[in-house]
Amino acid sequence: MSQNIILVTYDSLRADHCGFMGYDRDTTPALDALADDGLVFENATASGVPTIASMTSVMTGEHSLASPEIGFNTEQREQVTSRPTIAEVLSDEGYATGALSPNPPASSYFGFDSGFDWFEDFLAEDKGILERAWNRVFQRSIEGGAAATYLRLFRNVVQREEVLRPWEDYYDRIRQWREQAEEPYFLWVLLLEPHHPWLPPKEYRRWSSRWDAYRSFHHYWEMLNSGWTPDFSAREHRRLLNLYDDSIRYGDEFLARLREDFADDDPAIVVHADHGEEFGSHERYGHQPYLTEDLTHVPLVVGNADTEGRVERPVELRSLAPTIADLAGVSHSFEADSLLADDADAKRPWVASKVFAEGERRTAIRTRGSKFVAEPGRRELYDLDSDPDEQTDLAERAPDAADAFEAAVAHHVSSEREKRALRSAADDVAAGGKL
């Protein structure tokens, strides 16, 4: 029988705050244990930031295609619903498929329920005037409406929804789905720990205090109202890091319980983060659409899959869809390469990330020791070995290297556009009944 597979996505988890990646706090004991006997990718890179861009790539195996002409949310939804997803591939091969995602940017609103037999995202059902009104507020908030965003946050606080819903509130729903699902199954769970605001339960506050938890809302509003560029004191900065680490520890307990409760199913477990979190190293907090290592360097572990070790070469999250297909032993047409392919180490030595922000596209190329970021009218180059925090831009000091990276970016973007145009033309022909 094909192997059961569980995909666990942590929202906003930085790679360098995980124990198996060298962090000096015991934030991730369950993930560390999975890593000890599994396959660790030390330089995993999110294919986009924030959640919707990253998870679109995870599910479809393709880079986010958002563009100024069409609009970020519109095109993300179109990509998820028009391209084959890993859930659809596995469902077609006889897998039972289930998912739970309390984060609206990874919800059925954007098509992430495609291919899942069971999909829980806690969005209000359209049963009456209040629900319809709330759905309009939610949509305006997602599309950038300021008033709607504040109203949505207020409701979250009152009803403990979205980013304020702890995983223990819905864990039983996952167990209930498993009890009725036939094997083999594919289960995806997105956890909102450690997404801000950080409110770890009392029993998981190892480095933060009750007062810190109360203050977290004040800091959250400061970040929101300052455009995520607050001027925090050293003490406030440390308070936020303590809350963040305790939230990571709380989220890690989910993995511990999952591994214990699902042990008899012997599932392969893939764990990753959608993106990281900034804590002031670039004068920003949160996870806005930038491509710093704080945001794009994420943990990635494949456990209980008859493979182990540590991989140093850079890999990207869009490879997760073909990798999961390989774990299931099914054929697929994803354009990305599986991380488990026999010739994986011979693949290109760089990976790319993209974001769409303020009408512009930012693209980054990441090698083992270097990082190049390009956006209209600006380019940056960093030596990650000597400057892991990306504080010294070398683009003007090393123009030849910057030119080479810029050419690689141009080739990559051109290739993506060409493939997109060819697929669109093929889809049009097929829709016209000519194939």
Side-chain angles (χ1 to χ4, degrees):
M1 182 181 68
S2 300
Q3 187 171 21
N4 300 310
I5 301 171
I6 300 176
L7 175 65
V8 177
T9 302
Y10 284 102
D11 198 315
S12 311
L13 176 58
R14 291 169 57 127
D16 61 359
H17 277 245
C18 299
F20 74 95
M21 291 295 290
Y23 196 43
D24 58 2
R25 283 179 167 177
D26 188 25
T27 51
T28 54
L31 184 52
D32 296 347
L34 188 72
D36 285 344
D37 300 322
L39 187 60
V40 175
F41 295 90
E42 296 181 349
N43 289 290
T45 295
S47 300
V49 181
T51 297
I52 186 172
S54 179
M55 294 311 302
T56 296
S57 293
V58 168
M59 290 297 165
T60 66
E62 299 180 8
H63 278 295
S64 166
L65 299 178
S67 64
E69 294 80 12
I70 299 179
F72 183 82
N73 292 330
T74 299
E75 196 156 352
Q76 299 290 155
R77 186 186 301 112
E78 178 183 337
Q79 182 173 343
V80 176
T81 56
S82 65
R83 309 309 309 165
T85 67
I86 183 57
E88 290 174 311
V89 168
L90 295 184
S91 179
D92 289 344
E93 294 292 335
Y95 269 73
T97 54
L100 189 148
S101 172
N103 192 353
S107 66
S108 57
Y109 178 82
F110 291 106
F112 283 94
D113 56 334
S114 297
F116 286 104
D117 308 326
W118 170 72
F119 191 92
E120 175 61 81
D121 56 11
F122 306 103
L123 296 186
E125 297 182 3
D126 191 8
K127 294 181 179 179
I129 186 171
L130 292 179
E131 288 81 2
R132 288 196 294 272
W134 171 245
N135 284 339
R136 286 194 293 272
V137 169
F138 168 77
Q139 181 173 347
R140 290 171 183 168
S141 172
I142 286 290
E143 294 175 351
T149 296
Y150 283 106
L151 182 57
R152 177 180 161 204
L153 291 174
F154 176 76
R155 173 169 162 152
N156 288 346
V157 172
V158 172
Q159 299 193 10
R160 297 184 72 202
E161 294 183 341
E162 297 181 26
V163 296
L164 299 178
R165 184 188 293 270
W167 64 260
E168 288 174 290
D169 275 11
Y170 53 74
Y171 184 81
D172 285 345
R173 300 197 189 196
I174 299 170
R175 290 289 306 275
Q176 290 167 5
W177 173 80
R178 169 60 195 100
E179 289 171 2
Q180 59 81 34
E182 296 183 0
E183 298 185 70
Y185 63 77
F186 170 56
L187 171 66
W188 169 46
V189 181
L190 185 149
L191 287 90
L192 281 168
E193 290 83 17
H195 192 288
H196 55 63
W198 306 288
L199 298 170
K202 176 182 178 181
E203 58 270 30
Y204 292 94
R205 290 200 296 264
R206 175 176 295 192
W207 301 286
S208 62
S209 67
R210 185 177 184 179
W211 171 245
D212 292 337
Y214 287 143
R215 289 281 295 170
S216 68
F217 271 112
H218 174 68
H219 293 320
Y220 181 53
W221 286 112
E222 282 188 84
M223 289 189 286
L224 187 64
N225 291 321
S226 68
W228 305 99
T229 59
D231 185 19
F232 288 136
S233 67
R235 182 177 180 181
E236 290 170 323
H237 173 81
R238 174 50 55 182
R239 178 184 291 125
L240 292 176
L241 284 175
N242 289 340
L243 285 166
Y244 180 69
D245 286 345
D246 278 339
S247 296
I248 294 173
R249 177 81 182 207
Y250 176 52
D252 186 75
E253 179 61 24
F254 169 88
L255 182 61
R257 189 177 300 184
L258 184 83
R259 294 190 70 192
E260 179 179 353
D261 291 345
F262 286 67
D264 290 344
D265 296 344
D266 194 33
I269 302 178
V270 180
V271 181
H272 75 105
D274 57 349
H275 54 74
E277 189 83 353
E278 289 191 300
F279 280 95
S281 62
H282 296 86
E283 300 182 349
R284 294 185 299 266
Y285 284 74
H287 46 265
Q288 301 312 295
Y290 296 93
L291 294 172
T292 62
E293 286 296 286
D294 294 346
L295 294 173
T296 60
H297 187 200
V298 295
L300 176 56
V301 177
V302 178
N304 195 33
D306 296 326
T307 182
E308 59 183 60
R310 299 181 78 95
V311 177
E312 292 187 9
R313 64 182 173 86
V315 301
E316 51 193 331
L317 291 187
R318 73 186 185 115
S319 292
L320 282 182
T323 300
I324 292 171
D326 273 5
L327 289 173
V330 304
S331 60
H332 63 84
S333 59
F334 297 117
E335 67 176 47
D337 300 312
S338 168
L339 300 175
L340 306 178
D342 292 337
D343 60 346
D345 287 334
K347 300 298 181 183
R348 70 185 186 196
W350 56 271
V351 296
S353 300
K354 295 179 181 177
V355 296
F356 168 69
E358 300 175 359
E360 298 177 349
R361 184 192 300 273
R362 299 180 180 127
T363 305
I365 284 184
R366 166 78 145 81
T367 68
R368 173 62 185 85
S370 302
K371 175 82 163 285
F372 179 80
V373 182
E375 59 183 278
R378 181 178 177 82
R379 64 183 190 176
E380 302 171 16
L381 177 63
Y382 300 98
D383 182 345
L384 298 179
D385 290 331
S386 62
D387 181 25
D389 293 329
E390 301 165 286
Q391 298 297 304
T392 303
D393 180 6
L394 302 176
E396 292 188 4
R397 301 185 201 176
D400 290 343
D403 288 345
F405 273 114
E406 192 165 28
V409 167
H411 176 75
H412 173 70
V413 171
S414 176
S415 177
E416 292 283 323
R417 286 176 175 168
E418 182 178 355
K419 285 185 288 188
R420 176 183 172 187
L422 288 172
R423 283 198 303 264
S424 178
D427 290 343
D428 289 344
V429 172
K434 298 179 182 180
L435 288 180

